[in-house]
């Protein structure tokens, strides 16, 4: 099943500081996060990265500051 507008998406994440090469935060060991695709429930750059992915997919993405919190 593809991720598309109005589908509930649950995911785990690990946030890295690419410059320092260190892990900043992870959801592993906790409940997965959930959002309703296409409704702006997460930062735009991350939501865009999910578009068209299949359920169960694993991927890496870089979110530019202007597509996150600035």
């Amino acid at each position: 099943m593809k991720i598309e507008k109005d589908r509930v998406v649950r995911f785990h994440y690990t946030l890295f500081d690419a410059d320092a090469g260190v892990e900043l935060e992870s959801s592993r060991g906790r409940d997965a996060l959930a959002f309703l695709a296409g409704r702006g429930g997460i930062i735009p750059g991350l939501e865009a990265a999910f578009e068209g992915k299949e359920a169960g997919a694993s991927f890496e993405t870089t979110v530019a500051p202007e597509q996150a919190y600035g």
Side-chain angles (χ1 to χ4, degrees), residues 26-66:
S26 178
S27 67
R28 293 291 175 194
R30 301 182 294 178
D31 290 337
L33 294 172
F35 73 98
L36 188 58
R39 298 299 179 162
I42 60 174
I43 58 175
L46 185 55
E47 186 161 12
F50 276 102
E51 290 176 11
K53 298 285 191 289
E54 293 285 337
S58 179
F59 65 93
E60 292 183 19
T61 190
T62 299
V63 179
E66 59 273 6

